[in-house]
Amino acid sequence: MARPLGESHKRFLQTMMANGIVDGDKARALHRHCCETHGAQYTPDKLDEFIEVINAQLQPMFMQIRKGLSEEDGLQYYALVNMAETDVTRMSADYADNELELFRKTMDLIVDSDNGTASSTDILNCADSLQTKKLKKKETEHVLNRLVQDKWLIEKQGEYSLSTRCIMEMEPYIRRIYQDQVKVCHICHNVALQCQMCENPTCGIKIHTHCVARYFKGRTDPRCPSCEDFWPHEIPEVYRPPSSQSQSAATEKTTPTPRATGQSRKTRRS
Amino acid sequence: MLSVVLTCSKLLTAASFRVSINSRAGGREATALYFQIAWESAPSVNVYTSSIRVSISGSLRRGRSFKTTIGSVTGLNIKAVMSQRKRPSNVQSSQSKGARHSEVLLGGGGGDDDDDDEDVTFTQPSTSQVQRGLARLTPAQVDLKTAEVVQFIFVKDQKKIPIRRADIVKHVVKDYRNIYPEIMKSVGRTLDTVFGLMLKEVDVKNHVYILINKLEPPGGELLNMTPSNPKIGLLFVILGIIFMKGGVVKESMVWNTLKKLRVDPGDRHEDFGDVKKVVTDEFVRQRYLEYVRIPHTEPLEFEFRWGQRADTEVSKVKLLEFMGQLHDQDPQSWTQQYRDATSSQTVPVSQR
């Protein structure tokens, strides 16, 4: 029998519902505040156990507070995800059919791409050939803005990628729809959209940019973990967030430098 | 596949008739099921009333029946096959005993009433019906429906749209209607024990609910952790105005006060957009405010009151405390408002 929830658990859950996704530091702070506010026993570093208690109750509802790493900065995030949806219907309350179709097409572009992004030009071209109802340029831009605002997509300099929350939430859907067309990280086995690839034609394994940073940290002679060929790409620094006092929501994070994808990789599919 | 027998006792031409559901699913006799019949046009469906009305074009001969096959439970076209049928004996008669209608139909030709047709009464299922319904389902199936209803409620609540019981039944509960009360009991338990939330009926006649918080509004650090909608600030100013003025104010008072705060209902606001629409439409639909016509006014004037959601979610005591801080006054110095705030009906759920 799952352990019943105290008010501190319910408060944590309500806050997660309101935020959708929070970074690790905020989740830990939230854990503390919830326990303190509701007079529950607080043990620091026991956040995951605290969440497990909640998840046991959420399981019959096909919901879960999941931990994941962001492809943007390699940091840990906690998101409340819905596991019942087998499609993008999670969003169907907010988006019209043709808007959802556009989102699916954008996802197609992102999954097929080498660097996990889709340009606004390509997306606009898709908008023109929607099977439901075509979207004009202005309308497409408006939908894309909403998708960014609702934290499904991230936009950087005209390139769109899937947000951390989107990947965490839709991972089962992505795996089911794209199957082996989607790249998977050799190190952490999660879906990998922004990643580096081994250049050995018989190998071709992919590793998340942030997993690369961690795996090859400090190594002078980085070798592919699978085929042991030299790993030719630039190894990024493990991203360190600025000190936690100045930290607020994840929105203020800057991108890690350098972005290793793109420069040294050849554009080639496996 | 379900086979449905539609019987009628009169000659009809493009009229509505009652559906007698005699369904056999896979050889077993199922309980009467509720579903949408999409014929030529969308039917008008009444929840918990005595019939499903379907308009047809063409005619039915008296005593004839339609045998139809429905591929899935909701909204499919029906193929009709004419066949003679005796009065069905295994209709969910126990359910319709209480509210049996002997005559069927509207319109069409004459002819005497015939008791051949039976209709299914979709009133609130009785306890015994619920028991029987439950006996046929596994706990897992009931849990699944509970989960779906909970999800449905959350989606609606995201927009702060009040949730109609009819919608819950139509879109989620569907063919589990006969155990609807059991599902809703389970939903209520889940909302409370897992989320600290509760469904409150704001319209008893039409069965409309809103989702309210059983936990106290967060204070201190926690307040900063929940993203807030800037519109809430606007709403609170208006609720404050209404409350301090005794519970009802003319709309002009609200607009004037807002204008002093540089929020002009005539202009498009950076954060709120069309202010007038947000206040008179959005907040009203969400049940935060009531916007009511003042009778016998020329030109037409409206007044604002607190809506049901505000009554359940907003603490008047806290509001008064805030006013006290704002004006550097003891909240109790506003004796009428203080009395109003502390009277038991207005204490929000979380503080009872």
Side-chain angles (χ1 to χ4, degrees):
Chain A
M1 191 68 200
R3 201 182 119 189
L5 298 186
E7 292 208 330
S8 57
H9 296 104
K10 296 178 192 177
R11 178 72 74 186
F12 188 91
L13 178 54
Q14 283 191 13
T15 314
M16 285 305 299
M17 284 176 76
N19 281 285
I21 185 168
V22 299
D23 64 71
D25 285 341
K26 187 164 168 184
R28 280 179 278 278
L30 182 61
H31 174 210
R32 193 179 80 239
H33 291 307
C34 288
C35 289
E36 284 170 4
T37 306
H38 295 281
Q41 189 198 32
Y42 171 63
T43 323
D45 302 325
K46 292 284 180 193
L47 171 61
D48 287 349
E49 283 88 338
F50 184 80
I51 289 177
E52 270 321 297
V53 173
I54 301 175
N55 277 341
Q57 296 285 345
L58 285 178
Q59 205 226 351
M61 236 82 48
F62 303 100
M63 291 165 73
Q64 194 186 49
I65 297 176
R66 209 182 270 176
K67 197 166 65 167
L69 292 180
S70 162
E71 289 195 343
E72 300 300 312
D73 54 25
L75 291 178
Q76 206 176 61
Y77 285 82
Y78 290 84
L80 181 64
V81 299
N82 190 327
M83 302 184 306
E85 305 299 339
T86 51
D87 198 343
V88 295
T89 48
R90 154 86 149 159
M91 301 153 69
S92 62
D94 299 323
Y95 294 91
D97 282 345
N98 58 345
E99 296 172 339
L100 290 178
E101 201 196 334
L102 182 76
F103 179 70
R104 284 194 193 92
K105 287 214 173 335
T106 306
M107 203 187 271
D108 289 347
L109 289 170
I110 289 171
V111 170
D112 286 342
S113 75
D114 287 333
N115 56 357
T117 64
S119 71
S120 48
T121 324
D122 289 339
I123 300 172
L124 281 164
N125 285 338
C126 285
D128 209 33
S129 58
L130 291 176
Q131 284 195 327
T132 40
K133 197 177 111 177
K134 295 199 211 303
L135 283 166
K136 299 202 221 15
K137 180 163 186 256
K138 230 6 175 153
E139 293 171 323
T140 308
E141 282 169 1
H142 189 61
V143 177
L144 287 174
N145 280 340
R146 279 171 57 208
L147 285 164
V148 170
Q149 250 181 1
D150 291 341
K151 296 196 196 161
W152 294 108
L153 294 178
I154 299 176
E155 185 267 331
K156 266 195 289 264
Q157 295 161 330
E159 295 281 320
Y160 290 87
S161 51
L162 299 185
S163 71
T164 308
R165 180 251 189 135
C166 182
I167 297 173
M168 281 173 74
E169 179 121 19
M170 306 244 185
E171 171 144 357
Y173 165 72
I174 292 173
R175 284 199 194 248
R176 187 172 60 87
I177 295 294
Y178 298 102
Q179 297 189 358
D180 45 0
Q181 291 168 51
V182 70
K183 307 189 279 290
V184 174
C185 178
H186 183 86
I187 305 287
C188 71
H189 310 293
N190 288 322
V191 162
L193 298 172
Q194 298 183 56
C195 55
Q196 298 182 355
M197 189 165 83
C198 176
E199 298 295 328
N200 181 345
T202 61
C203 177
I205 61 150
K206 292 111 185 144
I207 305 180
H208 279 121
T209 315
H210 54 81
C211 290
V212 164
R214 263 177 257 263
Y215 185 76
F216 291 121
K217 183 176 167 186
R219 299 204 202 180
T220 45
D221 182 30
R223 298 244 152 218
C224 172
S226 177
C227 69
E228 308 216 334
D229 265 18
F230 179 67
W231 192 264
H233 308 292
E234 193 170 350
I235 313 294
E237 295 283 313
V238 174
Y239 178 67
R240 297 237 167 281
S243 84
S244 40
Q245 277 118 357
S246 55
Q247 199 69 306
S248 63
T251 46
E252 285 181 54
K253 292 237 179 346
T254 52
T255 50
T257 53
R259 301 285 298 155
T261 55
Q263 285 122 338
S264 52
R265 295 183 59 209
K266 306 188 191 83
T267 48
R268 197 179 56 173
R269 305 281 195 88
S270 63
Chain B
M1 296 285 259
L2 301 171
S3 94
V4 175
V5 173
L6 311 175
T7 58
C8 63
S9 72
K10 287 184 185 169
L11 178 66
L12 302 167
T13 45
S16 56
F17 60 96
R18 294 215 165 104
V19 175
S20 156
I21 299 165
N22 172 17
S23 66
R24 289 194 201 89
R28 263 183 310 114
E29 190 184 317
T31 53
L33 295 172
Y34 163 78
F35 50 85
Q36 279 180 342
I37 306 176
W39 198 289
E40 320 284 315
S41 54
S44 73
V45 175
N46 281 331
V47 177
Y48 296 120
T49 59
S50 58
S51 63
I52 304 171
R53 270 187 252 113
V54 176
S55 315
I56 55 156
S57 56
S59 56
L60 294 175
R61 296 221 36 106
R62 177 152 70 109
R64 292 288 194 103
S65 65
F66 276 117
K67 182 161 163 241
T68 70
T69 347
I70 303 173
S72 96
V73 178
T74 50
L76 271 220
N77 294 328
I78 297 178
K79 271 186 286 214
V81 172
M82 296 289 267
S83 67
Q84 287 285 68
R85 233 197 110 68
K86 285 194 127 160
R87 174 204 178 116
S89 53
N90 44 1
V91 172
Q92 189 84 346
S93 49
S94 54
Q95 198 173 17
S96 55
K97 263 309 161 31
R100 214 148 136 158
H101 300 269
S102 56
E103 68 135 11
V104 178
L105 317 158
L106 329 156
D112 51 288
D113 291 350
D114 211 294
D115 273 352
D116 260 338
D117 55 284
E118 287 174 73
D119 57 273
V120 183
T121 317
F122 284 108
T123 47
Q124 185 85 254
S126 71
T127 321
S128 58
Q129 278 159 356
V130 174
Q131 290 305 320
R132 260 180 286 131
L134 276 175
R136 276 176 243 212
L137 296 166
T138 64
Q141 284 171 302
V142 179
D143 285 345
L144 180 56
K145 273 299 156 188
T146 304
E148 287 178 22
V149 174
V150 168
Q151 296 277 8
F152 181 81
I153 290 171
F154 284 150
V155 169
K156 288 284 180 194
D157 185 69
Q158 237 187 344
K159 302 273 159 68
K160 295 289 177 217
I161 303 172
I163 307 144
R164 296 179 347 139
R165 181 172 82 174
D167 288 338
I168 297 178
V169 176
K170 179 166 148 188
H171 295 293
V172 188
V173 173
K174 292 195 259 196
D175 45 342
Y176 287 61
R177 282 186 75 196
N178 54 333
I179 56 158
Y180 174 82
E182 194 58 37
I183 295 176
M184 289 314 287
K185 240 192 266 168
S186 181
V187 167
R189 259 199 312 267
T190 305
L191 287 173
D192 179 19
T193 58
V194 180
F195 299 92
L197 301 169
M198 170 171 134
L199 273 182
K200 180 168 163 69
E201 198 165 35
V202 290
D203 183 342
V204 182
K205 175 169 163 257
N206 298 311
H207 304 290
V208 181
Y209 304 93
I210 56 171
L211 198 59
I212 60 171
N213 204 337
K214 291 188 84 171
L215 302 180
E216 270 220 32
E221 281 296 333
L222 271 176
L223 198 55
N224 302 333
M225 294 201 163
T226 311
S228 56
N229 190 343
K231 289 182 191 165
I232 292 290
L234 174 65
L235 172 67
F236 268 68
V237 167
I238 300 172
L239 290 176
I241 300 167
I242 300 171
F243 178 64
M244 295 310 283
K245 288 290 174 189
V248 57
V249 292
K250 284 214 180 115
E251 65 174 311
S252 51
M253 160 77 75
V254 170
W255 304 135
N256 290 336
T257 313
L258 288 182
K259 276 200 199 118
K260 286 190 202 144
L261 300 169
R262 313 278 179 88
V263 178
D264 193 327
D267 298 332
R268 194 166 179 83
H269 191 270
E270 187 187 8
D271 292 317
F272 312 134
D274 182 343
V275 174
K276 186 148 202 271
K277 184 154 183 256
V278 169
V279 176
T280 59
D281 180 41
E282 194 175 318
F283 286 162
V284 173
R285 251 185 309 116
Q286 294 172 341
R287 312 286 173 122
Y288 279 117
L289 294 177
E290 279 177 16
Y291 184 58
V292 184
R293 241 189 69 192
I294 308 174
H296 315 303
T297 48
E298 188 66 44
L300 206 55
E301 275 180 58
F302 285 79
E303 60 190 17
F304 282 107
R305 290 165 196 271
W306 279 38
Q308 286 153 316
R309 193 187 288 271
D311 283 332
T312 50
E313 284 185 9
V314 179
S315 159
K316 287 181 170 142
V317 172
K318 292 257 160 76
L319 192 67
L320 206 55
E321 282 170 5
F322 170 69
M323 288 294 175
Q325 288 174 349
L326 201 63
H327 297 281
D328 202 13
Q329 270 179 255
D330 181 353
Q332 298 200 38
S333 64
W334 291 289
T335 39
Q336 184 54 51
Q337 286 87 345
Y338 188 77
R339 218 177 298 150
D340 192 9
T342 49
S343 79
S344 57
Q345 297 107 310
T346 59
V347 175
V349 172
S350 59
Q351 284 155 40
R352 285 195 205 133

